Amino acid sequence: MKKIIWAVICLIHYSHTHAQIYKIPITPLLRHLYYSKNDICSISNTSLESFLPEFNNKYKSYQKLIKTKSGLYIMIDGTGKVFRAIEIDNNFISFSRIDITRYFGNTFYSIDFAYHDTLFSFGGYGFWHMNGQLRRFNTDKEWSIEKVYKIRHTIDFIYNYISKKNKLFYIEQPINDEETFFQKTEYTALEFDIKKKKNNVLGQVNNNIKLGLNIMIDLPNLNGTLINSERDFLLLDMEHNKVLKLKNKKIIEALIDKSGTTIQNTFEEGNRIYFTNYPDTNLKSIPISINDFKEEPYNIYEDSIQSNSKIIIGIGILIILYVVLKRRRNKINLQKHELIKIDDPYSNDFTLIEKTLIEKLIEKSKNGSYFTVDDINNYLGTKKKAIEVQKSIRTESINRINHKFKINCDSNATLIQRVRSIDDARFMNYKISEDNIVSYSKYLKKNSR
């Protein structure tokens, strides 16, 4: 009898911890998705929106939206938690937790989507590991793992999900694996066959395409993904290996941030792009078609067969010219080493790279603007390196410059100051204050005599 009572108590406690219902103010976005009869399986740029406030504060995870014909879902990134919209009551919408999983912690930044009205989670990062798992939300309200052929390192970066073709096209970022000595410095385009559970390498991404952590809008009806590549908006059709440039100025103006807001909650439905401008919750849309684009004269990637052929030819040339090129190769390697070398640990003098970086920062600061992370990476020569390597070199370089400034200028101030981006609080900008500019200028004048 005691065992039965204890089992009932545990069952009640277990049910209580999982039966969570949140009644939140409804927004035009949530109202539209709730009443839509379409599958909107890919909704990107949701990192700033806090639909269920508790989870953004507790786990520092962003919340993902998925709309299928059977319902509207919110998934808490990295946790395995799934909430489904159950009703709209006046100006409120209620979400009920439907999973019985425990906290994962190894699926942050996964690619989440719905396939045949079933939720899937692909890849993710956690516990010092970038995985390539495929997880399915099963009928028992738990996540079960699916076997994958040719597993890769996969996170939510740039992807194109075409459910009608059972295909997920995505770009794999440079990797510096924390568990092994494996490193990969290039971007790779891949095709994942959802039916066959198989990855297929398409090729290395063309250097003409400048990839970054900017806008990514999945446009399955146009068979591609819209990205912001420096000053241009490009449609990447990975299936057909085509790059198309957006030429419709009305769409470009709608997507460019001019008022201090940030574009969020982007998706395609009925040949229109829908979006909000955070923190404004009003839902906006603009029509889009393939006629709004012009095909570029280069491809997204060089396919695997061509790459292998060129590698074989290249190896043959290197063997023939090995003796001639040996000295030149060593010189180039030495130059690269000097480029990324942070500093001479035994000297407090500013290096040439450090002086150049400081001068450019001063120039920007005087104009009332900032240095971005990409700007810093460019001057340190680390732009094409893995993200983890970029962050390490960038942090160490700035710390050393600040340390030298304090010693050489006899100051307690920090020369290069970090300021959070207004557009996205996850990113840092850099500047130098007017007082520090004066101190550094005096130092230069004194040491130029």
Side-chain angles (χ1 to χ4, degrees), residues 159-160 169-171 189 202 236-241 300-301:
Y159 62 87
N160 176 214
F169 298 91
Y170 66 98
I171 292 178
L202 300 176
L236 306 183
D237 181 350
M238 285 183 266
E239 181 180 21
H240 302 109
N241 198 15
I300 300 174
Y301 53 84

Side-chain angles (χ1 to χ4, degrees), residues 320-331:
I320 296 173
L321 301 177
Y322 176 75
V323 177
V324 178
L325 299 178
K326 185 176 180 180
R327 290 184 180 179
R328 183 181 177 186
R329 185 172 64 249
N330 288 339
K331 183 178 179 180

Side-chain angles (χ1 to χ4, degrees), residues 210-248:
K210 306 303 179 183
L211 302 175
L213 299 173
N214 296 317
I215 297 174
M216 186 223 85
I217 306 176
D218 190 10
L219 303 176
N221 289 333
L222 298 185
N223 220 77
T225 306
L226 185 66
I227 68 166
N228 185 1
S229 177
E230 292 190 338
R231 296 183 179 179
D232 296 322
F233 283 92
L234 303 178
L235 181 70
L236 306 183
D237 181 350
M238 285 183 266
E239 181 180 21
H240 302 109
N241 198 15
K242 293 181 179 180
V243 180
L244 298 96
K245 182 178 177 179
L246 182 61
K247 60 182 183 179
N248 188 321

Side-chain angles (χ1 to χ4, degrees), residues 190-445:
L190 294 108
E191 171 195 78
F192 181 69
D193 189 310
I194 301 171
K195 265 191 174 181
K196 297 179 181 178
K197 310 291 192 300
K198 184 178 181 180
N199 279 302
N200 177 38
V201 177
L202 300 176
Q204 184 174 329
V205 175
N206 194 322
N207 289 330
N208 288 329
I209 304 173
K210 306 303 179 183
L211 302 175
L213 299 173
N214 296 317
I215 297 174
M216 186 223 85
I217 306 176
D218 190 10
L219 303 176
N221 289 333
L222 298 185
N223 220 77
T225 306
L226 185 66
I227 68 166
N228 185 1
S229 177
E230 292 190 338
R231 296 183 179 179
D232 296 322
F233 283 92
L234 303 178
L235 181 70
L236 306 183
D237 181 350
M238 285 183 266
E239 181 180 21
H240 302 109
N241 198 15
K242 293 181 179 180
V243 180
L244 298 96
K245 182 178 177 179
L246 182 61
K247 60 182 183 179
N248 188 321
K249 293 183 179 180
K250 289 185 178 180
I251 301 176
I252 295 173
E253 290 174 358
L255 298 179
I256 291 178
D257 173 26
K258 290 184 178 179
S259 60
T261 60
T262 304
I263 190 168
Q264 286 281 282
N265 306 308
T266 51
F267 61 90
E268 178 195 48
E269 183 184 19
N271 298 319
R272 298 182 73 89
I273 291 179
Y274 287 81
F275 60 94
T276 62
N277 289 111
Y278 182 84
D280 184 6
T281 60
N282 288 317
L283 185 63
K284 303 174 183 178
S285 72
I286 189 167
I288 190 168
S289 72
I290 200 65
N291 295 325
D292 296 316
F293 296 86
K294 179 181 179 182
E295 188 171 343
E296 292 289 271
Y298 56 89
N299 295 330
I300 300 174
Y301 53 84
E302 190 174 77
D303 66 56
S304 309
I305 296 175
Q306 291 178 352
S307 297
N308 292 335
S309 299
K310 289 188 176 182
I311 289 173
I312 293 173
I313 294 172
I315 291 174
I317 294 174
L318 286 174
I319 293 174
I320 296 173
L321 301 177
Y322 176 75
V323 177
V324 178
L325 299 178
K326 185 176 180 180
R327 290 184 180 179
R328 183 181 177 186
R329 185 172 64 249
N330 288 339
K331 183 178 179 180
I332 293 173
N333 288 337
L334 180 61
Q335 289 174 343
K336 287 182 178 179
H337 175 73
E338 290 298 322
L339 181 63
I340 66 172
K341 185 175 65 174
I342 296 174
D343 193 12
D344 177 3
Y346 302 104
S347 173
N348 286 319
D349 294 332
F350 291 105
T351 65
L352 180 60
I353 293 176
E354 290 171 343
K355 287 181 179 179
T356 303
L357 179 60
I358 294 170
E359 289 171 3
K360 295 298 179 180
L361 265 163
I362 289 175
E363 182 180 330
K364 283 268 190 177
S365 299
K366 285 182 176 180
N367 292 329
S369 58
Y370 300 99
F371 239 42
T372 65
V373 169
D374 285 340
D375 293 331
I376 296 284
N377 290 335
N378 280 335
Y379 282 100
L380 293 178
T382 60
K383 186 175 182 180
K384 294 184 179 181
K385 293 192 171 293
I387 293 175
E388 294 86 353
V389 175
Q390 291 179 6
K391 183 177 180 181
S392 176
I393 294 178
R394 188 170 63 247
T395 301
E396 184 64 21
S397 298
I398 293 173
N399 288 342
R400 285 185 176 273
I401 289 173
N402 288 335
H403 174 71
K404 291 178 180 181
F405 173 75
K406 290 179 180 180
I407 291 176
N408 293 325
C409 298
D410 192 20
S411 171
N412 292 323
T414 300
L415 178 62
I416 301 178
Q417 299 172 340
R418 297 174 173 88
V419 180
R420 290 199 177 274
S421 171
I422 298 175
D423 297 333
D424 192 336
R426 297 175 301 167
F427 299 101
M428 289 291 183
N429 290 327
Y430 303 87
K431 70 171 187 176
I432 296 178
S433 68
E434 292 183 7
D435 291 342
N436 287 342
I437 292 174
V438 172
S439 298
Y440 181 73
S441 299
K442 289 181 179 178
Y443 161 76
L444 289 181
K445 187 176 181 179

Side-chain angles (χ1 to χ4, degrees), residues 89-204:
D89 179 18
N90 295 325
N91 294 321
F92 291 87
I93 183 170
S94 296
F95 282 88
S96 175
R97 184 178 173 186
I98 63 172
D99 69 283
I100 57 173
T101 58
R102 295 296 182 182
Y103 175 75
F104 280 2
N106 67 329
T107 59
F108 292 99
Y109 312 113
S110 59
I111 300 175
D112 296 337
F113 59 94
Y115 177 64
H116 290 173
D117 219 24
T118 299
L119 300 178
F120 281 84
S121 179
F122 186 45
Y125 175 84
F127 304 122
W128 302 277
H129 175 70
M130 192 181 294
N131 71 70
Q133 300 170 351
L134 179 66
R135 298 167 295 275
R136 175 174 57 88
F137 192 61
N138 59 39
T139 55
D140 295 326
K141 306 302 180 184
E142 293 183 308
W143 291 95
S144 55
I145 196 165
E146 304 281 309
K147 290 185 177 180
V148 173
Y149 295 96
K150 299 182 179 180
I151 199 163
R152 302 288 299 192
H153 298 78
T154 311
I155 60 172
D156 179 0
F157 177 50
I158 293 173
Y159 62 87
N160 176 214
Y161 172 46
I162 309 176
S163 59
K164 294 178 181 179
K165 298 181 180 180
N166 311 310
K167 297 291 178 66
L168 174 68
F169 298 91
Y170 66 98
I171 292 178
E172 184 182 73
Q173 291 178 283
I175 297 164
N176 182 16
D177 192 75
E178 296 173 86
E179 298 177 299
T180 67
F181 293 102
F182 174 75
Q183 289 187 347
K184 185 175 78 71
T185 58
E186 72 277 1
Y187 291 90
T188 306
L190 294 108
E191 171 195 78
F192 181 69
D193 189 310
I194 301 171
K195 265 191 174 181
K196 297 179 181 178
K197 310 291 192 300
K198 184 178 181 180
N199 279 302
N200 177 38
V201 177
L202 300 176
Q204 184 174 329

